[in-house]
Amino acid sequence: MNTTADSLFWKWTLRFMDIILMGTLWLLTSLPIITIGASSTTLNMLMGRYVTGIKVNILKDYFHEFKKCFKKATIIWLIHLVVFLLLALDLIYYWTGSSTFDALGAAVLATLSTLIVFEFNMVFIILSRKPHAKLKEIISEAFDLSMTCFLQALCIAILTIGLPISAFFLLPEFLVMMPGIICYLNWQILPKMFEKYMVKKTDREYQKKNR
């Protein structure tokens, strides 16, 4: 009984250390800001393998995959960064207005921003699974996945945004642990999300063929 408990304790201790190490590598490689896309893709790539039981050499595999995905991931990150900056400027413009048109514009932009946030949460996950896909295909599938599996995408968005905010106000000393923990929790949701998405995607393709 004690042997089993000790074994489980060390198993989860080692797993926690691996998760924190992956998250720390994400933080270190994200410091230049421009590398956030490559860091996020690499973290998701390794975490996806880790949670499915594939053996991962964290340090070696992280930097190897980081180099491989850098160009495409950085392009995707910069595209989204520009889009977010433009949306933020437009939101400020309409939000500070006082007319009905300004209120309508702010509402439309807020809705659009929310949809793009959902897509953004998925885009580096899709890239981690399809590193050789074209940019248009990756972005399109990220949006399709987030809309097809909306509830799961909402849970991921809440974890990704809510946990760091909560840690910042309640336990700021644990902020450094958040990237790895968030990614690990996301990957508890993602496998079933992919399964549901593939079933619905297959159904849509079948219906198109039989029209």
Side-chain angles (χ1 to χ4, degrees):
M1 188 95 177
N2 288 336
T3 305
T4 305
D6 288 345
S7 177
L8 283 171
F9 172 79
W10 285 113
K11 177 185 175 182
W12 281 101
T13 300
L14 290 172
R15 176 168 292 193
F16 182 73
M17 290 171 67
D18 287 341
I19 291 166
I20 298 306
L21 175 58
M22 283 188 265
T24 302
L25 288 172
W26 180 89
L27 280 172
L28 291 173
T29 53
S30 295
L31 287 176
I33 305 300
I34 197 172
T35 56
I36 286 176
S39 301
S40 300
T41 303
T42 307
L43 177 60
N44 277 290
M45 199 175 287
L46 263 64
M47 194 66 75
R49 295 173 188 171
Y50 189 83
V51 299
T52 52
I54 298 172
K55 190 175 180 181
V56 176
N57 184 326
I58 294 174
L59 287 172
K60 182 181 176 182
D61 291 352
Y62 188 94
F63 290 105
H64 176 70
E65 297 298 345
F66 183 88
K67 290 177 184 177
K68 281 175 64 177
C69 74
F70 180 82
K71 183 178 178 181
K72 190 175 288 185
T74 302
I75 292 170
I76 292 173
W77 162 238
L78 291 176
I79 289 170
H80 284 81
L81 185 60
V82 170
V83 169
F84 282 130
L85 286 172
L86 291 174
L87 284 171
L89 290 171
D90 286 341
L91 271 171
I92 291 169
Y93 173 79
Y94 284 109
W95 195 262
T96 53
S98 56
S99 68
T100 304
F101 179 78
D102 289 328
L104 180 61
V108 170
L109 283 169
T111 303
L112 181 60
S113 299
T114 302
L115 293 176
I116 293 175
V117 166
F118 273 66
E119 177 270 335
F120 180 71
N121 276 332
M122 295 293 119
V123 73
F124 298 115
I125 295 167
I126 298 298
L127 178 57
S128 74
R129 287 167 57 87
K130 296 185 173 183
H132 303 296
K134 294 180 179 178
L135 291 178
K136 184 179 177 181
E137 181 186 344
I138 292 166
I139 293 171
S140 175
E141 187 161 326
F143 182 79
D144 191 24
L145 175 64
S146 62
M147 293 299 102
T148 302
C149 307
F150 182 79
L151 289 178
Q152 290 94 332
L154 179 62
C155 289
I156 287 172
I158 291 169
L159 285 171
T160 304
I161 299 168
L163 277 183
I165 292 172
S166 300
F168 179 79
F169 287 107
L170 300 175
L171 297 164
E173 61 272 19
F174 288 102
L175 265 175
V176 70
M177 299 181 183
M178 286 297 105
I181 292 171
I182 290 167
C183 192
Y184 179 79
L185 292 175
N186 286 346
W187 273 97
Q188 304 309 303
I189 300 169
L190 284 165
K192 289 184 179 179
M193 190 174 177
F194 290 132
E195 186 179 334
K196 179 182 175 182
Y197 175 68
M198 289 309 299
V199 169
K200 291 196 174 185
K201 188 177 180 180
T202 303
D203 286 344
R204 287 201 302 263
E205 290 173 354
Y206 178 80
Q207 288 170 9
K208 284 180 181 178
K209 287 180 181 178
N210 288 276
R211 279 179 183 174

